[in-house]
Amino acid sequence: MTITFVSNIVLARLLNPDDFGCIGLLAIFIVVANVFINGGFAAALIQKPAPTSADYSTAFFWNIIVSLLFYAGLYLAAPAIAGFYHIPLLASILKIQGLILIINALSVIQLSILRKKLQFKSLSVIQIIAALISAGIAIPLAFNGLGVWSLVVQQLLNSAITTITLWFVCKWQPLWLFSWQSFKQLFGYGAFLLLSDLLNSVCDNIQGLIIGRRFTAGDMGYYAQAKKLAEIPTESISQVVSLVSFPVFAKLQDDQSKLRAAVQKSLTLMNFINFPLMLLLIVVAEPLLTLLYSAKWTESIPYFQILCLSGIVNCMQSVNYQVVCAVGKSKTIFRWNIIKRTVGIGLILIGMYWGITGILWGMVAGFYFTAIVNAIVATKTTGYTLPRQVLDAAPALLIALMAAIGTAVVGRFLFLHNFPTLLIQSAVYLILYIGLSKLLHRPEIDEYILIIKSYKRHD
């Protein structure tokens, strides 16, 4: 994640908003196709206690077949998609970028196996290698004037290197068989997750479709860059929840008391980090974005601040969603997702009246609605109610808000360049947050100290 973050900073300084806008305009098509390719099978294989070789091989060949079909579909539809946005270049970009679908399909099973075995260090190393190599090639390409194509090359290389490395690390190889019995079992669980993930993906990216159609590629670039930066902390946390919590919750699914304790502890510890991080980003948005991306990206600042508001409830949304997935209630997830996403799309469409800012506020409102619904649905599984979750989260949130207010006040008296302003405000925030947490005897600090000590002993 750090390497991706740094490479994005360098590329943002070398490229224009229009370049990032072109990639953002096509995101919904790539993301939705990837959901179909996975088909919910990855989660089904992790959730299933003892998948067979036939299960893995069946899922593998299904992924390959579907990826080829979707790539062919996108290849043929590329001119029409480019015409929809009135940007002819998009047709060529999509035909090349679409190869990611086939590349990713080749490694879905290996990724699922490593996740099921909780081999997260191996996965981290793979991601680092892929990010380093792809960024190391994309940046010189951007420097030499390749524009949007440097971003396309980066994405393709990242996927290709990840896939190749996964095949080396995970020794599994497919058998030449396709079992309809395995397919039916996996699809029985995965079908509803597929529909849920499809609904989520469309709703998470539909605002880009709207912005791309109604506004310019540059506007889309400002939005895409703000979204990308705001998603770094939220996706990092969601990834931890998905990679670590999902397998753990799956193992505890038959013991509600232990499952409730695991969910409560996960939420408490993650919120203690997530709340101050998101509020700090809102406070320091102006010096942060100007310092990282240069003054040409200042239009992204208000978009970034609005999007960071969604991140405040990210842990609640993500943990509760994963626990329901982990216990195999895919039908429940799908039914509630229809309600959540219908409301979410409605809020975005209402927000269109006020332009891009209104669309983003609609997204935030929809995200909060989703977090509330996920908590209510998960209550039947864990017994950990929404009011209890809010009460447990309230102290950390209030401390983070007090630290944010204090930091914002200090910022009003700073008339320095971006870097010293950012440094001073971050230091003030950290001192205020940790100081207030210690003063109010919050147990999360001691928990993290124990985790760090335990990690060092294992190393």
Side-chain angles (χ1 to χ4, degrees):
M1 187 62 74
T2 302
I3 298 168
T4 303
F5 173 62
V6 173
S7 66
N8 185 57
I9 292 172
V10 177
L11 289 169
R13 287 180 166 272
L14 293 172
L15 303 175
N16 296 314
D18 285 6
D19 297 322
F20 286 91
C22 288
I23 298 297
L25 294 173
L26 300 175
I28 187 170
F29 303 101
I30 300 297
V31 170
V32 169
N34 266 322
V35 170
F36 271 105
I37 292 166
N38 177 50
F41 283 6
L45 290 169
I46 295 173
Q47 197 273 339
K48 189 173 182 179
T52 64
S53 297
D55 292 333
Y56 285 124
S57 297
T58 298
F60 176 79
F61 287 114
W62 173 258
N63 292 338
I64 299 300
I65 293 169
V66 176
S67 70
L68 290 170
L69 290 174
F70 266 92
Y71 175 70
L74 287 180
Y75 190 95
L76 295 174
I81 293 171
F84 174 79
Y85 288 121
H86 306 297
I87 304 176
L89 178 62
L90 293 181
S92 299
I93 294 173
L94 185 56
K95 289 177 181 179
I96 303 299
Q97 189 184 18
L99 292 169
I100 290 175
L101 303 177
I102 301 172
I103 297 170
N104 288 344
L106 291 168
S107 62
V108 171
I109 304 305
Q110 288 82 353
L111 184 61
S112 300
I113 291 172
L114 293 179
R115 285 180 60 192
K116 191 173 183 68
K117 293 180 178 180
L118 305 180
Q119 295 185 12
F120 304 117
K121 285 189 177 180
S122 297
L123 290 172
S124 296
V125 171
I126 291 170
Q127 290 175 347
I128 291 170
I129 292 171
L132 271 174
I133 297 175
S134 59
I137 294 175
I139 290 172
L141 292 178
F143 185 78
N144 283 282
L146 264 73
V148 67
W149 290 106
S150 60
L151 298 175
V152 175
V153 170
Q154 183 185 32
Q155 291 185 1
L156 285 170
L157 282 175
N158 192 292
S159 294
I161 294 164
T162 298
T163 295
I164 293 169
T165 313
L166 280 169
W167 274 81
F168 275 105
V169 173
C170 181
K171 302 304 180 183
W172 176 86
Q173 292 185 0
L175 302 176
W176 289 99
L177 64 87
F178 186 95
S179 169
W180 283 109
Q181 182 179 356
S182 292
F183 179 83
K184 290 176 183 178
Q185 289 177 349
L186 294 173
F187 195 74
Y189 173 81
F192 287 100
L193 278 185
L194 164 63
L195 294 173
S196 296
D197 289 342
L198 178 62
L199 196 58
N200 290 338
S201 297
V202 170
C203 294
D204 288 341
N205 291 277
I206 195 170
Q207 63 276 3
L209 194 69
I210 296 169
I211 293 170
R213 175 65 176 178
R214 295 193 60 182
F215 303 95
T216 67
D219 291 326
M220 182 62 197
Y222 292 125
Y223 159 75
Q225 199 67 351
K227 186 171 183 283
K228 187 179 295 184
L229 184 59
E231 284 180 345
I232 289 175
T234 56
E235 283 193 352
S236 297
I237 292 171
S238 295
Q239 190 175 42
V240 169
V241 173
S242 178
L243 291 176
V244 180
S245 298
F246 184 89
V248 172
F249 293 160
K251 289 182 179 180
L252 298 175
Q253 60 183 293
D254 296 323
D255 190 330
Q256 190 186 65
S257 61
K258 289 184 178 179
L259 184 60
R260 183 190 188 281
V263 172
Q264 185 174 19
K265 186 171 184 178
S266 296
L267 271 175
T268 302
L269 290 176
M270 289 182 180
N271 282 334
F272 187 76
I273 297 295
N274 184 61
F275 289 157
L277 179 58
M278 301 315 299
L279 288 171
L280 174 62
L281 289 174
I282 293 171
V283 172
V284 302
E286 184 174 351
L288 176 64
L289 268 75
T290 307
L291 176 67
L292 293 179
Y293 300 140
S294 76
K296 67 182 176 182
W297 291 94
T298 52
E299 289 189 41
S300 295
I301 294 172
Y303 302 162
F304 174 73
Q305 290 174 314
I306 295 171
L307 291 170
C308 282
L309 289 171
S310 298
I312 293 174
V313 293
N314 180 58
C315 291
M316 179 187 290
Q317 184 277 140
S318 186
V319 169
N320 285 305
Y321 180 81
Q322 291 297 329
V323 74
V324 178
C325 290
V327 299
K329 295 187 176 181
S330 55
K331 291 183 181 179
T332 301
I333 293 170
F334 175 63
R335 285 196 295 265
W336 278 102
N337 264 4
I338 293 176
I339 297 172
K340 291 184 300 185
R341 294 310 189 169
T342 300
V343 172
I345 291 175
L347 291 168
I348 289 172
L349 293 176
I350 292 171
M352 284 173 55
Y353 181 79
W354 293 276
I356 296 178
T357 302
I359 292 172
L360 298 186
W361 279 112
M363 289 172 56
V364 172
F367 197 84
Y368 275 73
F369 179 77
T370 296
I372 291 169
V373 171
N374 284 356
I376 293 172
V377 174
T379 299
K380 295 181 180 180
T381 299
T382 64
Y384 190 28
T385 65
L386 173 62
R388 185 69 255 175
Q389 291 185 30
V390 173
L391 285 173
D392 288 344
L397 181 57
L398 288 174
I399 293 170
L401 281 170
M402 288 189 287
I405 293 169
T407 304
V409 171
V410 170
R412 288 184 174 275
F413 296 96
L414 296 177
F415 302 98
L416 304 170
H417 292 295
N418 292 316
F419 181 71
T421 298
L422 179 63
L423 197 62
I424 292 171
Q425 284 190 297
S426 299
V428 169
Y429 193 98
L430 188 63
I431 292 169
L432 287 174
Y433 186 71
I434 294 177
L436 289 169
S437 298
K438 293 291 287 184
L439 184 65
L440 297 174
H441 305 290
R442 296 303 305 163
E444 293 89 347
I445 293 178
D446 295 330
E447 287 278 358
Y448 275 110
I449 291 173
L450 289 174
I451 291 171
I452 293 170
K453 287 182 178 179
S454 175
Y455 182 80
K456 288 182 176 179
R457 282 198 300 269
H458 286 305
D459 283 350

